[in-house]
Amino acid sequence: MFESLYYYKKSKAVNPRTVQADAVVYGATPAGITAALQLKSRGYAVIIAEFSRHIGGISASGLGATDLGAEPAVGGYARQFYKEVAGHYGVEKQFTFEPHVAQRIFTKWLTEADIPVYTEQHLQQVYTNSGVITAISMEDGTRFEAKVWLDCSYEGDLMAMAGVSYKVGREANSTYKEIYNGIQFGAPHHKFEKWIDPYVIEGDTSSGLLHGITEDSSQQLGFQGQGDHRIQAYNFRICLTTVPNKLAFPKPPNYDATKYELLLRYIQSGVWDALKLHTPLPNDKTDLNNYGAFSTDYIGMNYDWPDGSYRRREEIFQAHLSYVMGLLYFLTNDNRVPLFIRQQVSKYGLPLDEFKDTHHWPHQLYIREARRMISDVIMTDHYPLQQKFVHDSIGLASFHMDSHNCRRMVVDGRVVNEGDVQVAVSPFAISYQAIRPKREECENLLVPVCLSASHIAYGSIRMEPVFMIIGQSAGMAAALALDNNCAVQQVSYARLRALLEQAGQVLDWDTSIQDDPLARMKETFGKV
């Protein structure tokens, strides 16, 4: 049934075409959409080239429970988005929404602005001349030419192919003198609350490790704060419903019940919280996200994604699809699962009015972290912790510093998750210098999603409302670069700031606002 649900299928070069514009946005994510809208509002011809068949990124693919942070920190198109969400539901304020509602709003915006979107555009080559991108070509033979470029993809493929410096993985705390970066043992959340035996045959170390456990004490497990190549786990944000007219959880391709043996042992130990995080959405729907020690996050199975080939990413995508869909199937169909759990989970199903062209399953994998640019300013945990401040703000982030677990291993004979971080922060400004490369590397590229940040600071910045905010600011900066025929590094910040304020962006936090970061974190804990 799900064989047609694919992330990547190689495009054949048929009828090559050349598309010219003032600006090209790579990635129809929320950041890409707001960047394009801002450029178009300034009178520039802009197009969007999107890798997949869909627009809207994860916001239109199941993440309907907005990871908002401090509401007053949201301005510009991001604020308008939630205003239109509220209008759709006929209420004054609404920050949760069904996936198709986000899709409808984004589609309406692009249609009204007459911004062309080219889907299934698989980037193949970037052409540069003395640090200036002149054109990009796609696998299907399409060639795009422009004066300024914006990489708004979750992976940063355009940035990487242009030769811009970037980082994958966790920096050591010592790299930037941070506190919460690198390997993190002993997190108080999303950990195993009971001692669970990790071996296929309990107590028999020679029987091998259960699926999902990737390391044991025979390997170097590292030390607190040590840097490594690992990134936080991916999953799908799954839109579920309890209405009678729903699709029961299907058996996925390559289903393997042994993948959930660890979860079964955890349940048998007395802990059942794998599907605890159902955030209610309108119309009897929920946004299901990861919660606890064993849930929808496929921990440790995504390390190859950021630098992987398209085919390797396809393998990872399908593995995540099989794992998460299989988890729901296992919990409703395996007779070893206690009856009360099977009955509880069976109340849910896939809504028939969502994701109709992908069999009601979300089309976008939740890429929480991939490449991160290295530029003149690197957003580190000093900024969210209010130890440093930027002087060229292009928007605010305010969600807590959040890293999901990065690996699952054996320590002292028990199963342990590693990498979870949850640290409350006050709203903080993001530097313009963090979204543009070093000038010697590229003069006409802006990167509002895979921006220059450390792993742990990115854990706060990486929220969809923030991407909408930064995308709009990047679009304005790109317009100024076109206005003045200058490098993005030469854009006048004073002029940029003035225009962003006119556009309704919030660039500074009003300290008179009563805001309790710890209370906000507790209220939204676990959402991402």
Side-chain angles (χ1 to χ4, degrees):
M1 176 180 178
F2 282 84
E3 290 179 355
S4 64
L5 176 54
Y6 65 89
Y7 181 80
Y8 168 73
K9 184 178 290 184
K10 185 175 177 63
S11 302
K12 296 181 180 180
V14 179
N15 298 323
R17 56 188 171 178
T18 297
V19 180
Q20 295 179 324
D22 296 315
V24 169
V25 174
Y26 184 64
T29 60
I33 292 168
T34 58
L37 289 169
Q38 187 63 78
L39 273 156
K40 189 62 182 286
S41 73
R42 298 289 296 173
Y44 286 106
V46 57
I47 64 97
I48 298 177
E50 163 59 30
F51 184 94
S52 73
R53 291 179 285 150
H54 304 91
I55 68 165
I58 193 69
S59 285
S61 189
L63 203 166
T66 297
D67 308 312
L68 192 66
E71 180 187 336
V74 179
Y77 285 130
R79 171 66 64 175
Q80 180 64 27
F81 174 81
Y82 296 108
K83 182 178 179 181
E84 294 195 23
V85 166
H88 173 85
Y89 292 111
V91 296
E92 183 178 346
K93 187 181 295 186
Q94 182 76 27
F95 293 103
T96 59
F97 50 87
E98 299 160 273
H100 74 268
V101 173
Q103 186 89 32
R104 183 178 303 166
I105 292 171
F106 290 138
T107 300
K108 177 177 72 74
W109 282 2
L110 293 171
T111 301
E112 289 177 349
D114 194 24
I115 296 173
V117 180
Y118 297 79
T119 56
E120 295 186 86
Q121 293 301 298
H122 307 146
L123 184 61
Q124 186 174 54
Q125 189 171 353
V126 176
Y127 300 90
T128 62
N129 182 14
S130 300
V132 174
I133 301 173
T134 57
I136 61 176
S137 61
M138 306 294 178
E139 284 185 346
D140 69 355
T142 303
R143 177 184 173 94
F144 295 97
E145 298 177 350
K147 296 177 181 177
V148 67
W149 306 79
L150 297 95
D151 186 345
C152 297
S153 67
Y154 289 120
E155 294 86 0
D157 286 341
L158 175 56
M159 169 191 73
M161 288 191 189
V164 173
S165 299
Y166 63 87
K167 167 71 177 176
V168 173
R170 299 181 286 188
E171 297 90 352
N173 272 329
S174 59
T175 302
Y176 301 123
K177 296 181 174 59
E178 296 178 286
I179 299 175
Y180 298 106
N181 212 337
I183 292 173
Q184 295 289 315
F185 292 108
H189 308 293
H190 303 301
K191 65 178 182 178
F192 284 92
E193 301 292 344
K194 298 288 186 71
W195 185 291
I196 307 298
D197 190 288
Y199 302 107
V200 174
I201 300 174
E202 294 193 50
D204 183 356
T205 59
S206 66
S207 64
L209 298 172
L210 293 174
H211 181 82
I213 304 171
T214 56
E215 300 177 50
D216 61 27
S217 55
S218 67
Q219 300 163 287
Q220 294 293 323
L221 300 181
F223 55 84
Q224 187 81 358
Q226 182 180 10
D228 63 14
H229 65 285
R230 299 176 180 88
I231 54 177
Q232 55 178 310
Y234 299 168
N235 70 346
F236 287 92
R237 294 293 288 258
I238 312 163
C239 184
L240 302 181
T241 186
T242 56
V243 300
N245 189 23
K246 60 182 181 293
L247 176 67
F249 299 127
K251 186 177 183 178
N254 305 313
Y255 174 71
D256 181 0
T258 65
K259 291 180 179 179
Y260 314 102
E261 184 68 31
L262 177 58
L263 173 60
L264 185 62
R265 288 185 189 177
Y266 198 39
I267 291 172
Q268 291 170 344
S269 78
V271 180
W272 162 236
D273 62 0
L275 303 189
K276 183 177 180 179
L277 190 55
H278 278 285
T279 303
L281 305 179
N283 296 321
D284 298 312
K285 294 176 185 174
T286 66
D287 172 357
L288 175 63
N289 194 15
N290 183 82
Y291 187 92
F294 192 114
S295 186
T296 59
D297 278 0
Y298 203 13
I299 298 172
M301 302 300 175
N302 60 345
Y303 302 154
D304 289 347
W305 184 278
D307 281 326
S309 67
Y310 297 148
R311 292 197 179 279
R312 178 59 182 140
R313 288 180 186 169
E314 168 67 10
E315 294 171 356
I316 296 171
F317 180 94
Q318 294 296 345
H320 279 71
L321 184 151
S322 181
Y323 166 78
V324 181
M325 192 183 295
L327 171 67
L328 298 172
Y329 181 83
F330 172 80
L331 290 170
T332 52
N333 291 278
D334 198 297
N335 289 331
R336 296 173 297 167
V337 175
L339 179 61
F340 83 93
I341 293 178
R342 281 182 278 143
Q343 291 175 335
Q344 182 185 121
V345 180
S346 295
K347 293 179 181 178
Y348 294 91
L350 303 179
L352 296 179
D353 61 341
E354 300 287 354
F355 313 122
K356 294 180 180 180
D357 63 341
T358 53
H359 308 292
H360 313 292
W361 187 264
H363 45 76
Q364 171 71 55
L365 187 62
Y366 192 1
I367 311 301
R368 290 190 173 96
E369 175 185 21
R371 299 181 177 103
R372 302 185 308 279
M373 182 169 63
I374 299 174
S375 190
D376 295 312
V377 168
I378 299 170
M379 301 300 299
T380 61
D381 71 7
H382 303 95
Y383 296 99
L385 294 175
Q386 309 293 309
Q387 297 168 355
K388 287 185 178 180
F389 303 91
V390 306
H391 303 289
D392 54 352
S393 172
I394 54 170
L396 303 180
S398 58
F399 203 78
H400 54 271
M401 285 194 292
D402 173 48
S403 172
H404 282 230
N405 280 304
C406 299
R407 59 175 168 165
R408 179 175 288 145
M409 55 192 181
V410 180
V411 177
D412 293 333
R414 65 176 291 190
V415 186
V416 172
N417 289 339
E418 183 272 308
D420 181 78
V421 180
Q422 311 284 336
V423 179
V425 305
S426 295
F428 63 99
I430 299 163
S431 170
Y432 173 58
Q433 295 176 78
I435 69 166
R436 50 122 182 111
K438 297 176 182 177
R439 187 170 182 182
E440 62 267 24
E441 293 184 343
C442 192
E443 294 189 354
N444 62 339
L445 173 68
L446 292 165
V447 186
V449 176
C450 295
L451 75 167
S452 180
S454 70
H455 158 77
I456 192 57
Y458 192 78
S460 174
I461 296 169
R462 65 178 179 84
M463 306 305 158
E464 295 285 282
V466 180
F467 286 155
M468 281 192 259
I469 291 167
I470 306 174
Q472 179 177 0
S473 294
M476 188 72 82
L480 285 177
L482 289 167
D483 286 349
N484 297 284
N485 192 29
C486 69
V488 294
Q489 293 84 1
Q490 294 176 305
V491 167
S492 165
Y493 176 69
R495 177 62 175 156
L496 175 61
R497 182 182 180 92
L499 290 174
L500 291 178
E501 289 176 338
Q502 290 176 21
Q505 291 281 55
V506 179
L507 303 180
D508 300 298
W509 179 245
D510 182 355
T511 56
S512 68
I513 295 175
Q514 296 298 313
D515 178 63
D516 184 344
L518 185 58
R520 281 195 286 105
M521 189 186 80
K522 289 179 178 178
E523 181 182 354
T524 61
F525 176 73
K527 274 192 176 182
V528 292

